[in-house]
Amino acid sequence: MKTRTGLLTAAALVVGVAVGPSVLPAAASAPAASTTARPAAGQSPNPALEAAIAGLPTSDATAALVRVGGKEGTWHGSSGVHDLRSGRPADPAARFRAGSVTKVFTAAVALQLAQEGRLDLDRSARSYLPELIPASYEDVTVRQLLNHTHGIPAPDFPGTTVEEVYANRFRIHDPRDMVRSATSKKREFAPGERQHYLNIGYTVAGLVIERVTHDSYERQVARRVLGPLGLRGTYFPGTNPRIVGPHNHGYQTMRLDDGTTGLRDVSVWGSTDAWAAGDIVSTTADLERFTRSLFRGRIVRGPLLQEMFTLPDVTDFKTGKPAAYSAGLSMKVLGGREVWGKTGGRWGYNAAVASTRNGSRTLVYSVNSTDAKGQDMNRTAEALMVATFGRP
């Protein structure tokens, strides 16, 4: 399969989607009084970034936590509320669900294993998991799992509306069962011919990591990334639907019990459906350190790091546009330069890590979106991207 690097004007840092729980009282269903953006103590004002998160909560978001870094200067700020009931300011050090940002961690571990000779990116996933991957998918390689060119469709999940999915929020999903569900279907396209961004490739990749290491996926990420970098605010929730430690509440617009449409607190919500594709919980400080280390070659070293900055030379399965995803990352041209990163979304939470290739400008944010899985990028998140890097 041909690959290419360089500018991709049509590519987008698409908001990642993957799939806690009381109804707000009527008085809290509307946004509370807005708060001003708060830069960290001792920092100079940054009007563009302050404007991007000003006035929260709004109908689109209830809080935002931001860290901008790199050689071009730093800025840390927050806005919005910890929760709509109390209206107290958002905690800038809070943990949040980072969603598909998890894929960057998964890809990094897979590439480390490839560097060690324990994982071959050009070997088939079936050669590692022969009892799980059927012959109809025997040509799917590990590299294709990581860059979404595998052609495996999504597994079946209960519910199609947000209300139905919410009703199943505590259901436990087994990774192997999800793979069986997906691979029981006809492939979407021949491996390596198109690109379709889905979680399932990373679910398989997590199982491959477990097979070659004889260890759990979570322990491998902790041993190889979280521990060495000192990411003490980052963890994998497993089957616990609650965010452990300080966190700002997430909300989702949906139909409420009385038939009206309003905001529901969705802070408590299981994430086993995402696993190695999107279940990590983190902080902006941890993700900033992770991003700096990754782009400086301190996590994945040597030629294999280039896998994260190489886009497959194929088109998107749905849009026909050039591929937007590499192994773990995505690229968009902003302000006339390449910006690489990954966005993520869990109900109530949108997150992102992004950086110029040389690390001169980095951005990490958590936005408590009221429609984190919507078709369009959250307006606050989009404003932060533009304020940090410039317009497309």
Side-chain angles (χ1 to χ4, degrees):
M1 178 175 60
K2 296 179 181 179
T3 59
R4 60 192 165 85
T5 58
L7 296 182
L8 180 67
T9 56
L13 286 166
V14 180
V15 175
V17 298
V19 181
S22 59
V23 178
L24 296 174
S29 295
S34 63
T35 62
T36 57
R38 297 178 299 281
Q43 289 191 124
S44 300
N46 187 311
L49 289 168
E50 290 173 15
I53 61 174
L56 300 184
T58 65
S59 60
D60 296 309
T62 59
L65 315 178
V66 187
R67 296 178 75 93
V68 173
K71 301 173 184 177
E72 298 178 13
T74 62
W75 189 86
H76 306 162
S78 61
S79 183
V81 295
H82 167 269
D83 66 280
L84 292 176
R85 291 181 183 275
S86 70
R88 63 187 175 93
D91 179 355
R95 285 174 167 170
F96 51 86
R97 303 190 192 279
S100 287
V101 174
T102 306
K103 293 181 177 71
V104 192
F105 289 80
T106 305
V109 170
L111 293 173
Q112 280 189 7
L113 290 168
Q115 182 178 8
E116 296 165 9
R118 301 174 68 181
L119 186 63
D120 186 341
L121 299 181
D122 293 316
R123 272 186 65 180
S124 70
R126 188 168 191 253
S127 69
Y128 292 104
L129 302 167
E131 79 291 353
L132 182 63
I133 307 296
S136 56
Y137 288 95
E138 63 182 355
D139 296 332
V140 173
T141 67
V142 175
R143 179 180 280 106
Q144 290 163 351
L145 295 175
L146 298 178
N147 67 18
H148 304 281
T149 60
H150 47 74
I152 305 173
D156 292 326
F157 291 109
T160 57
T161 67
V162 60
E163 292 82 11
E164 291 169 344
V165 177
Y166 175 79
N168 287 280
R169 66 194 180 279
F170 299 135
R171 179 173 294 205
I172 304 299
H173 301 271
D174 178 80
R176 291 178 173 272
D177 288 342
M178 290 190 287
V179 173
R180 292 187 186 98
S181 170
T183 57
S184 67
K185 305 175 186 180
K186 181 181 178 181
R187 66 188 187 187
E188 293 185 326
F189 47 82
E193 289 193 356
R194 305 290 291 275
Q195 184 175 76
H196 188 190
Y197 178 83
L198 290 171
N199 283 348
I200 189 61
Y202 277 74
T203 302
V204 179
L207 292 170
V208 171
I209 289 171
E210 292 193 332
R211 178 58 55 87
V212 300
T213 62
H214 306 287
D215 194 8
S216 74
Y217 159 78
E218 294 87 350
R219 279 194 295 268
Q220 282 295 304
V221 177
R223 184 175 75 81
R224 293 171 174 274
V225 182
L226 306 188
L229 295 183
L231 306 185
R232 296 180 178 85
T234 304
Y235 75 98
F236 292 92
T239 58
N240 185 357
R242 298 183 178 276
I243 300 175
V244 177
H247 60 279
N248 301 314
H249 287 227
Y251 298 89
Q252 171 64 36
T253 302
M254 67 172 76
R255 188 177 64 254
L256 304 179
D257 297 338
D258 62 3
T260 63
T261 297
L263 295 177
R264 188 186 292 270
D265 189 326
V266 291
S267 307
V268 182
W269 195 313
S271 57
T272 56
D273 61 305
W275 191 50
D279 72 346
I280 208 166
V281 174
S282 192
T283 66
T284 54
D286 273 11
L287 291 183
E288 183 179 59
R289 180 180 295 184
F290 171 71
T291 303
R292 288 200 309 263
S293 298
L294 180 71
F295 279 66
R296 291 173 181 174
R298 296 176 180 174
I299 300 174
V300 181
R301 294 178 171 84
L304 282 167
L305 178 59
Q306 191 59 31
E307 291 285 337
M308 304 190 85
F309 300 99
T310 301
L311 298 167
D313 191 13
V314 299
T315 57
D316 183 85
F317 175 60
K318 289 190 172 182
T319 68
K321 295 180 180 179
Y325 297 93
S326 63
L329 298 176
S330 178
M331 192 276 284
K332 184 176 177 65
V333 176
L334 294 173
R337 54 186 174 177
E338 291 184 3
V339 176
W340 292 83
K342 188 70 191 76
T343 55
R346 299 291 302 177
W347 298 110
Y349 300 89
N350 281 140
V353 299
S355 177
T356 54
R357 181 66 182 86
N358 64 3
S360 62
R361 191 72 159 169
T362 64
L363 167 67
V364 174
Y365 68 68
S366 167
V367 174
N368 292 56
S369 171
T370 59
D371 189 16
K373 293 177 178 293
Q375 292 296 312
D376 299 321
M377 190 173 189
N378 177 272
R379 283 188 285 187
T380 299
E382 185 175 17
L384 285 168
M385 284 284 186
V386 171
T388 303
F389 299 108
R391 295 191 176 279

